[in-house]
Structures are given as structure tokens and as C-alpha cells.
Amino acid sequence: MHVIYGGTFDPVHHGHLRLAIELKERLDVPEISLVPCHIPPHRGSTDATSAQRLKLLKLAVAEEIGLVVDDRELTRKGASYTADTLRQLREQLGAQEPLVMVVGTDAFAGFDRWREWERIPQLAHVVVVKRPGPELDPQGVPARLLRDRRVSSADQLHRAPCGYILELNPPLLDISATGIRERIVSGRSPRYLLPDSVWREIRCLGLYGACPDGNF
Ligand code: ATP
């Protein structure tokens, strides 16, 4: 079973890495693929480039067996749509291999606005990770999709190539990339929120307003 977990990872932090390990164990797979996506152009100008985010992500997983980086969305031209990524993976994996995409409840709440969203369950299973925030609107399309396709265990995902939705409620660390960027730009330490190797590289590259000579 192939599992992808996407995000901007600007920068990657322990909240992401911890969730990836929880997913690996709960879904009983040897590996989770982290898939960094393009950042929409309206984000702040101090944010890292795609190449820099990718470099940080590679550093973060270097010490972690079972977490790998898949850079296909960054190397593809133009906007990256999940449906395109899943279609590409489906071609690679063949028709029978289970394929899973992971999303947070916040992102899943807007699932029916994603490009070609109706194709997605024909290509992959969806694992919805419960995040703090509002519940799904029970009348909305995502809630209906969940009711129609819900399964209660990871075993069921292993037994079919696509089409099911599994909700997970793992413990989550209260860390966000926004909070890390805010700390860095205001000269405060982000240590223990992200791997030291990543923080070292952020300083080295002077990202997010980090001072290269900062001694913390
Ligand atoms: P930002 O603060 O810039 O919006 P972020 O920290 O939320 O970033 P993203 O790269 O946008 O990180 O998130 C990638 C994925 O990881 C998303 O599915 C998001 O729901 C999830 N995620 C983000 N933070 C955490 C966390 N602390 N624990 C678990 N999952 C998280």
C-alpha cells in the first residue's frame, strides 16, 4: 500500500513528522511519502522557494527510516492538482495496489471544490485526520461522501485499491509552520519544534528572516 501525505512544508516541523510516524504505524505500511506542493503566489515573500523547502524536507527525513520525499509536484510544470498526482501514481503502481492520500479535516471540508474531486475516490482511498476546528457540515458533500465510503479499519484499505475513506484521530502536536516563521522573523528560537538539522539549514540559508550568525 502506497501512502502520500502532502503539504507546503514551509518549513517541515515535528507536527508533520510525528503525524507521519503515527500514520505509518496505524496504517501498517513500511513507508510514508511526503509530497511537497507548489505554494500559491499570494503567500509572503520571505517564504522559502520550492527548492529550499525540498532541501529542508530531505534533511528532516534523512534520519527517519520509513519517511521518504516525493518531489513530483515540484518538478511538474504549473499548478499541482491532487488528481494529477494520484493519476500519475496509479499509472506507476498498476490497477490493484492500494493507494492512499492523507488530508486533514480542515482540507477535507472543502473536498468538493478540488479539481476533479469526483475522480479521486476512483484513484485512491482517503484518510482523513481529525484536526481541531469545526465539524464537517452534515448536509455537505464531504460528509455525504464520508457516510457512503467510510470504513472502520486500516485492514480494509489494504484489501482494495481505492474508494474508501478512513477517519483517524491521532494525537497531534500543537505546532504550525506559521508559528515557526513568526518566531524566526521576530528573533525568537523555534528549537524543539522542528529538527535541529532543519533549523541549522534555515539559518545557513537565511530563510524566513533568520540571522545566519544567530547562536541559538
Ligand atoms: P502553515 O502554518 O504554513 O499553514 P502547517 O504547519 O499547517 O503550515 P502544512 O504544510 O500546510 O503545515 O501542512 C501539511 C499537512 O500537515 C496538512 O495536511 C496539515 O493539516 C498537516 N499538519 C500541519 N500541522 C500539523 C500538526 N501540528 N500535526 C499534524 N498535522 C499537521
Side-chain angles (χ1 to χ4, degrees), residues 5-11 13-16 19 43 102-107 129 131 171-179 181:
Y5 167 31
T8 53
F9 303 112
D10 189 26
H13 53 67
H14 281 145
H16 300 133
L19 175 61
R43 290 271 297 254
V102 177
V103 289
T105 31
D106 46 339
V129 174
R131 301 211 58 201
L172 301 177
L173 299 177
D174 187 11
I175 301 174
S176 73
T178 305
R181 294 194 300 271

